[in-house]
């Protein structure tokens, strides 16, 4: 039988099929699923393109192409087509993120044209809160919009430490400030604030009705080792489970043993593995 395959930018008529594919793995696909549910599939509203891999007229894989390049449900044939499309379009993303086999294959095909990368995080365990949650810090709460000026420097410090470059270099920080403000407005920024200083913080980034993803977990370097992270994280996990989505997830660098220990003590266990390529 003759098999045909192609890649195209998806539109409104593809939304139901895209959701069906994303819903097959609500934890692994929470970021892309969250973006589609919040903004729709049309590139103008999404702020990105959603590429579809079409085999014999059927949508079998996706690739979110925005600030991040994120393959979804993509096997070797889809990755080859996505890589060809990305190479033709030219690099517009700041990272490639997703399941290890897909991202590794995609990067091997793109590295000769897009390389070298600034950093490659070859193994990032994806964790889900499935076990008992320890006692929570009662002082961890939702951040108020009036506290944006307190939270923002902590977010910048965390991002710079984690990614290696500041998030506010390109436009003076306007876009990043707006993103942090939006997390506060939607009730997804949590912190313990003492004397006008953040001593623990975390945000809930991607959200669907099935799952949510915690991000930006941070304690100031001079306060680490004082027992703030486990009860702080426990508070965020409990609020997320009770008020946001039933499945609470995150991903972490495999070499970050302190963070992994904290997450294990908060009931997280490994369910998948990501890889990230940073530009």
């Amino acid at each position: 039988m003759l098999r045909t395959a192609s890649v195209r930018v998806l539109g409104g008529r593809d939304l139901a099929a895209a959701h069906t594919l994303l819903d097959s793995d609500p934890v692994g696909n929470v970021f892309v699923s969250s973006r589609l549910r919040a903004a729709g599939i049309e590139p103008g509203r999404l702020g990105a393109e959603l590429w579809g891999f079409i085999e014999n007229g059927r949508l079998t894989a996706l690739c979110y192409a925005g600030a991040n390049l994120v393959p979804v449900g993509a096997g070797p044939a889809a990755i080859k087509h996505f890589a060809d499309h990305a190479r033709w379009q030219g690099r517009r993303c700041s990272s490639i993120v997703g399941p290890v086999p897909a991202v590794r294959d995609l990067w091997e095909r793109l590295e000769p044209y897009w390389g070298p990368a600034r950093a490659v995080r070859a193994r990032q365990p994806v964790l889900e809160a499935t076990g008992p949650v320890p006692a929570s810090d009662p002082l961890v709460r939702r951040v108020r919009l009036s506290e944006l000026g307190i939270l923002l420097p902590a977010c910048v410090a965390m991002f710079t430490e984690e990614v290696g470059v500041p998030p506010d270099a390109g436009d003076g920080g306007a876009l990043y400030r707006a993103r942090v403000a939006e997390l506060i407005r939607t009730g997804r920024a949590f912190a313990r604030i003492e004397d006008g200083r953040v001593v623990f913080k975390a945000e809930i980034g991607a959200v669907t009705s099935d799952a949510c993803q915690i991000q930006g977990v941070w304690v100031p370097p001079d306060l680490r080792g004082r027992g703030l992270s486990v009860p702080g994280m426990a508070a965020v996990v409990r609020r997320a489970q009770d008020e946001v989505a039933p499945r609470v997830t995150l991903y972490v660098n495999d070499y970050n043993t302190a963070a992994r220990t904290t997450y294990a003590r908060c009931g997280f266990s490994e369910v998948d593995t990501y890889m990230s390529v940073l530009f």
Side-chain angles (χ1 to χ4, degrees):
M1 181 178 70
L2 178 64
R3 298 185 63 85
T4 61
S6 63
V7 168
R8 63 175 172 83
V9 177
L10 301 183
R13 64 192 173 96
D14 306 299
L15 185 59
H19 279 312
T20 297
L21 201 157
L22 290 164
D23 289 346
S24 66
D25 182 4
V27 168
N29 299 333
V30 64
F31 169 74
V32 178
S33 186
S34 173
R35 293 291 300 129
L36 258 65
R37 281 170 167 79
I41 200 171
E42 297 294 345
R45 290 189 58 204
L46 185 61
E49 292 180 344
L50 191 67
W51 303 341
F53 179 60
I54 314 298
E55 285 187 290
N56 292 337
R58 188 169 67 92
L59 179 67
T60 61
L62 304 170
C63 190
Y64 177 91
N68 309 305
L69 195 65
V70 186
V72 173
I79 289 295
K80 179 183 182 302
H81 281 73
F82 288 148
D84 289 344
H85 193 75
R87 188 170 66 246
W88 166 80
Q89 187 182 73
R91 183 174 73 81
R92 302 179 181 180
C93 61
S94 59
S95 66
I96 306 173
V97 183
V100 170
V103 173
R104 182 191 294 129
D105 189 2
L106 191 57
W107 180 232
E108 285 176 355
R109 295 176 181 278
L110 291 174
E111 185 177 13
Y113 306 92
W114 287 8
R118 182 171 55 80
V120 175
R121 309 281 170 84
R123 188 176 188 278
Q124 298 174 300
V126 179
L127 310 178
E128 181 178 354
T130 56
V133 181
S136 302
D137 183 346
L139 298 180
V140 171
R141 58 172 174 79
R142 281 189 167 93
V143 179
R144 306 179 189 101
L145 192 56
S146 61
E147 297 169 315
L148 174 59
I150 297 173
L151 181 64
L152 185 61
C155 291
V156 171
M158 179 285 306
F159 188 101
T160 304
E161 181 179 349
E162 171 67 20
V163 179
V165 295
D168 53 358
D171 62 352
L175 182 58
Y176 189 70
R177 181 185 180 90
R179 288 174 181 168
V180 175
E182 182 62 19
L183 289 171
I184 296 175
R185 284 192 199 95
T186 54
R188 286 153 52 184
F190 296 84
R192 175 172 172 174
I193 299 174
E194 295 181 354
D195 299 323
R197 183 192 186 199
V198 171
V199 302
F200 169 87
K201 77 162 196 76
E203 296 86 49
I204 300 174
V207 173
T208 71
S209 60
D210 297 310
C212 63
Q213 188 175 81
I214 295 175
Q215 63 182 36
V217 182
W218 186 79
V219 171
D222 63 307
L223 297 180
R224 293 172 189 172
R226 300 191 186 186
L228 292 165
S229 61
V230 171
M233 190 67 187
V236 177
V237 171
R238 288 183 185 276
R239 296 292 290 271
Q241 290 175 329
D242 292 344
E243 302 170 14
V244 181
R247 302 179 71 176
V248 180
T249 74
L250 55 83
Y251 65 100
V252 61
N253 293 314
D254 64 341
Y255 55 78
N256 192 342
T257 55
R260 295 188 66 180
T261 298
T262 292
Y263 301 147
R265 291 177 61 188
C266 290
F268 284 87
S269 57
E270 187 170 339
V271 295
D272 201 352
T273 312
Y274 280 178
M275 174 179 173
S276 295
V277 180
L278 308 180
F279 301 106

